[in-house]
Structure formats: structure tokens, C-alpha cells
Short mmCIF file of all heavy atoms in Angstrom, two decimals:
data_model
loop_
_atom_site.label_atom_id
_atom_site.label_comp_id
_atom_site.label_asym_id
_atom_site.label_seq_id
_atom_site.Cartn_x
_atom_site.Cartn_y
_atom_site.Cartn_z
N THR A 59 -60.73 -7.68 -21.12
CA THR A 59 -61.23 -7.30 -19.75
C THR A 59 -61.27 -5.81 -19.69
O THR A 59 -60.21 -5.18 -19.90
CB THR A 59 -60.32 -7.98 -18.71
OG1 THR A 59 -60.30 -9.39 -18.81
CG2 THR A 59 -60.88 -7.52 -17.27
N HIS A 60 -62.40 -5.26 -19.18
CA HIS A 60 -62.57 -3.86 -19.09
C HIS A 60 -62.11 -3.39 -17.64
O HIS A 60 -62.67 -3.93 -16.70
CB HIS A 60 -64.07 -3.44 -19.37
CG HIS A 60 -64.32 -2.02 -19.06
ND1 HIS A 60 -63.79 -1.04 -19.91
CD2 HIS A 60 -65.04 -1.40 -18.08
CE1 HIS A 60 -64.17 0.11 -19.47
NE2 HIS A 60 -64.98 -0.11 -18.40
N ILE A 61 -61.24 -2.45 -17.62
CA ILE A 61 -60.75 -1.93 -16.36
C ILE A 61 -61.32 -0.51 -16.29
O ILE A 61 -60.82 0.41 -17.01
CB ILE A 61 -59.19 -1.96 -16.22
CG1 ILE A 61 -58.69 -3.41 -16.34
CG2 ILE A 61 -58.78 -1.27 -14.90
CD1 ILE A 61 -57.23 -3.54 -16.26
N ARG A 62 -62.22 -0.26 -15.31
CA ARG A 62 -62.88 1.02 -15.31
C ARG A 62 -62.04 2.16 -14.67
O ARG A 62 -62.13 3.28 -15.10
CB ARG A 62 -64.21 0.88 -14.53
CG ARG A 62 -65.03 2.07 -14.37
CD ARG A 62 -66.34 1.79 -13.68
NE ARG A 62 -66.13 1.21 -12.35
CZ ARG A 62 -67.08 0.84 -11.59
NH1 ARG A 62 -68.35 0.93 -11.86
NH2 ARG A 62 -66.81 0.35 -10.31
N ASP A 63 -61.38 1.82 -13.60
CA ASP A 63 -60.63 2.81 -12.83
C ASP A 63 -59.20 2.92 -13.38
O ASP A 63 -58.41 1.89 -13.39
CB ASP A 63 -60.62 2.42 -11.36
CG ASP A 63 -60.21 3.51 -10.45
OD1 ASP A 63 -59.62 4.55 -11.00
OD2 ASP A 63 -60.35 3.42 -9.21
N PRO A 64 -58.82 4.20 -13.72
CA PRO A 64 -57.40 4.39 -14.19
C PRO A 64 -56.36 3.99 -13.17
O PRO A 64 -55.24 3.58 -13.45
CB PRO A 64 -57.34 5.86 -14.61
CG PRO A 64 -58.75 6.18 -14.85
CD PRO A 64 -59.53 5.38 -13.88
N ARG A 65 -56.77 4.09 -11.87
CA ARG A 65 -55.81 3.80 -10.78
C ARG A 65 -55.50 2.28 -10.85
O ARG A 65 -54.34 1.90 -10.54
CB ARG A 65 -56.42 4.16 -9.49
CG ARG A 65 -55.57 3.88 -8.29
CD ARG A 65 -56.24 4.42 -7.01
NE ARG A 65 -55.47 4.09 -5.76
CZ ARG A 65 -55.67 2.97 -5.18
NH1 ARG A 65 -56.48 2.09 -5.47
NH2 ARG A 65 -54.90 2.79 -4.04
N ASP A 66 -56.37 1.42 -11.22
CA ASP A 66 -56.24 -0.02 -11.23
C ASP A 66 -55.26 -0.34 -12.37
O ASP A 66 -54.32 -1.20 -12.19
CB ASP A 66 -57.46 -0.78 -11.60
CG ASP A 66 -58.50 -0.62 -10.40
OD1 ASP A 66 -58.04 -0.18 -9.31
OD2 ASP A 66 -59.68 -1.05 -10.61
N ILE A 67 -55.28 0.41 -13.46
CA ILE A 67 -54.24 0.15 -14.53
C ILE A 67 -52.90 0.60 -14.13
O ILE A 67 -51.94 -0.17 -14.40
CB ILE A 67 -54.67 1.13 -15.75
CG1 ILE A 67 -56.10 0.74 -16.29
CG2 ILE A 67 -53.72 0.97 -16.89
CD1 ILE A 67 -56.62 1.51 -17.42
N MET A 68 -52.76 1.66 -13.34
CA MET A 68 -51.47 2.00 -12.82
C MET A 68 -50.79 0.93 -11.90
O MET A 68 -49.70 0.63 -12.00
CB MET A 68 -51.49 3.34 -12.10
CG MET A 68 -51.84 4.57 -13.01
SD MET A 68 -50.65 4.86 -14.24
CE MET A 68 -51.43 4.10 -15.74
N PHE A 69 -51.68 0.34 -11.02
CA PHE A 69 -51.15 -0.70 -10.16
C PHE A 69 -50.78 -1.97 -10.98
O PHE A 69 -49.83 -2.60 -10.72
CB PHE A 69 -52.21 -1.07 -9.13
CG PHE A 69 -52.11 -0.22 -7.85
CD1 PHE A 69 -52.68 0.96 -7.73
CD2 PHE A 69 -51.36 -0.72 -6.79
CE1 PHE A 69 -52.60 1.70 -6.60
CE2 PHE A 69 -51.22 -0.03 -5.66
CZ PHE A 69 -51.89 1.29 -5.55
N LEU A 70 -51.57 -2.32 -11.99
CA LEU A 70 -51.20 -3.40 -12.76
C LEU A 70 -49.97 -3.11 -13.67
O LEU A 70 -49.08 -4.11 -13.72
CB LEU A 70 -52.42 -3.68 -13.82
CG LEU A 70 -52.32 -4.95 -14.75
CD1 LEU A 70 -52.10 -6.17 -13.83
CD2 LEU A 70 -53.52 -5.00 -15.61
N PHE A 71 -49.84 -1.98 -14.11
CA PHE A 71 -48.58 -1.64 -14.84
C PHE A 71 -47.38 -1.70 -13.89
O PHE A 71 -46.30 -2.11 -14.28
CB PHE A 71 -48.70 -0.25 -15.43
CG PHE A 71 -47.56 0.20 -16.27
CD1 PHE A 71 -47.42 -0.33 -17.53
CD2 PHE A 71 -46.66 1.12 -15.88
CE1 PHE A 71 -46.27 -0.04 -18.36
CE2 PHE A 71 -45.55 1.50 -16.65
CZ PHE A 71 -45.42 0.91 -17.95
N ALA A 72 -47.57 -1.22 -12.59
CA ALA A 72 -46.46 -1.28 -11.68
C ALA A 72 -46.06 -2.67 -11.36
O ALA A 72 -44.84 -2.98 -11.27
CB ALA A 72 -46.85 -0.53 -10.36
N CYS A 73 -46.94 -3.64 -11.24
CA CYS A 73 -46.72 -4.97 -10.97
C CYS A 73 -45.81 -5.60 -12.21
O CYS A 73 -44.87 -6.38 -12.04
CB CYS A 73 -47.92 -5.83 -10.73
SG CYS A 73 -48.66 -5.59 -9.07
N LEU A 74 -46.22 -5.24 -13.40
CA LEU A 74 -45.49 -5.72 -14.56
C LEU A 74 -44.11 -5.15 -14.62
O LEU A 74 -43.21 -5.86 -14.94
CB LEU A 74 -46.29 -5.29 -15.87
CG LEU A 74 -47.63 -5.93 -16.04
CD1 LEU A 74 -48.32 -5.40 -17.28
CD2 LEU A 74 -47.57 -7.49 -16.07
N ALA A 75 -44.00 -3.93 -14.21
CA ALA A 75 -42.65 -3.24 -14.13
C ALA A 75 -41.72 -3.98 -13.14
O ALA A 75 -40.55 -4.20 -13.37
CB ALA A 75 -42.77 -1.79 -13.87
N ILE A 76 -42.35 -4.36 -11.99
CA ILE A 76 -41.62 -5.09 -10.98
C ILE A 76 -41.18 -6.45 -11.49
O ILE A 76 -39.95 -6.85 -11.27
CB ILE A 76 -42.46 -5.21 -9.73
CG1 ILE A 76 -42.62 -3.85 -9.00
CG2 ILE A 76 -41.75 -6.13 -8.71
CD1 ILE A 76 -43.69 -3.83 -7.88
N GLY A 77 -42.05 -7.10 -12.10
CA GLY A 77 -41.66 -8.35 -12.71
C GLY A 77 -40.61 -8.34 -13.68
O GLY A 77 -39.65 -9.20 -13.76
N ILE A 78 -40.62 -7.32 -14.55
CA ILE A 78 -39.60 -7.10 -15.55
C ILE A 78 -38.24 -6.82 -14.90
O ILE A 78 -37.24 -7.40 -15.30
CB ILE A 78 -39.97 -5.97 -16.49
CG1 ILE A 78 -41.18 -6.39 -17.36
CG2 ILE A 78 -38.79 -5.62 -17.38
CD1 ILE A 78 -41.68 -5.30 -18.29
N SER A 79 -38.23 -6.00 -13.87
CA SER A 79 -36.99 -5.74 -13.15
C SER A 79 -36.38 -6.95 -12.49
O SER A 79 -35.23 -7.15 -12.50
CB SER A 79 -37.25 -4.64 -12.09
OG SER A 79 -37.80 -3.46 -12.63
N CYS A 80 -37.27 -7.74 -11.83
CA CYS A 80 -36.83 -8.99 -11.26
C CYS A 80 -36.29 -9.91 -12.32
O CYS A 80 -35.33 -10.62 -12.07
CB CYS A 80 -37.95 -9.63 -10.34
SG CYS A 80 -38.37 -8.64 -8.93
N GLY A 81 -37.00 -10.13 -13.43
CA GLY A 81 -36.58 -10.97 -14.48
C GLY A 81 -35.22 -10.59 -15.07
O GLY A 81 -34.44 -11.42 -15.46
N ALA A 82 -34.93 -9.26 -15.10
CA ALA A 82 -33.67 -8.84 -15.58
C ALA A 82 -32.57 -8.71 -14.49
O ALA A 82 -31.40 -8.20 -14.75
CB ALA A 82 -33.85 -7.37 -16.19
N SER A 83 -32.99 -9.23 -13.31
CA SER A 83 -31.97 -9.32 -12.11
C SER A 83 -31.54 -7.92 -11.58
O SER A 83 -30.52 -7.75 -11.05
CB SER A 83 -30.74 -10.18 -12.52
OG SER A 83 -31.10 -11.50 -12.84
N VAL A 84 -32.40 -6.89 -11.90
CA VAL A 84 -32.22 -5.55 -11.39
C VAL A 84 -32.97 -5.47 -10.10
O VAL A 84 -33.98 -4.70 -10.08
CB VAL A 84 -32.52 -4.48 -12.46
CG1 VAL A 84 -31.98 -3.15 -11.98
CG2 VAL A 84 -32.04 -4.88 -13.78
N PHE A 85 -32.53 -6.10 -9.06
CA PHE A 85 -33.29 -6.19 -7.87
C PHE A 85 -33.37 -4.87 -6.99
O PHE A 85 -34.39 -4.60 -6.40
CB PHE A 85 -32.77 -7.36 -6.91
CG PHE A 85 -32.88 -8.68 -7.58
CD1 PHE A 85 -31.69 -9.37 -7.85
CD2 PHE A 85 -34.05 -9.25 -7.79
CE1 PHE A 85 -31.80 -10.69 -8.45
CE2 PHE A 85 -34.14 -10.54 -8.39
CZ PHE A 85 -33.01 -11.18 -8.72
N THR A 86 -32.30 -4.10 -7.16
CA THR A 86 -32.23 -2.82 -6.51
C THR A 86 -33.35 -1.86 -6.99
O THR A 86 -34.11 -1.25 -6.29
CB THR A 86 -30.92 -2.11 -6.62
OG1 THR A 86 -29.95 -2.98 -6.07
CG2 THR A 86 -30.92 -0.86 -5.82
#
């Protein structure tokens, strides 16, 4: 999938980081 806007990539990466933090139980 082609993502044209670099800003969209940052938001997608942020969601993945949030998911990783929640999965590791680092909720703070």
C-alpha cells in the first residue's frame, strides 16, 4: 500500500507504538 503523505506514516507509527505499549502493560 502506497502512503503518499509522510504525516500519515507518523500517525500509523504512533498507533503501532501505542499498541506495543499496551501489549507490554506499560499503560502510563
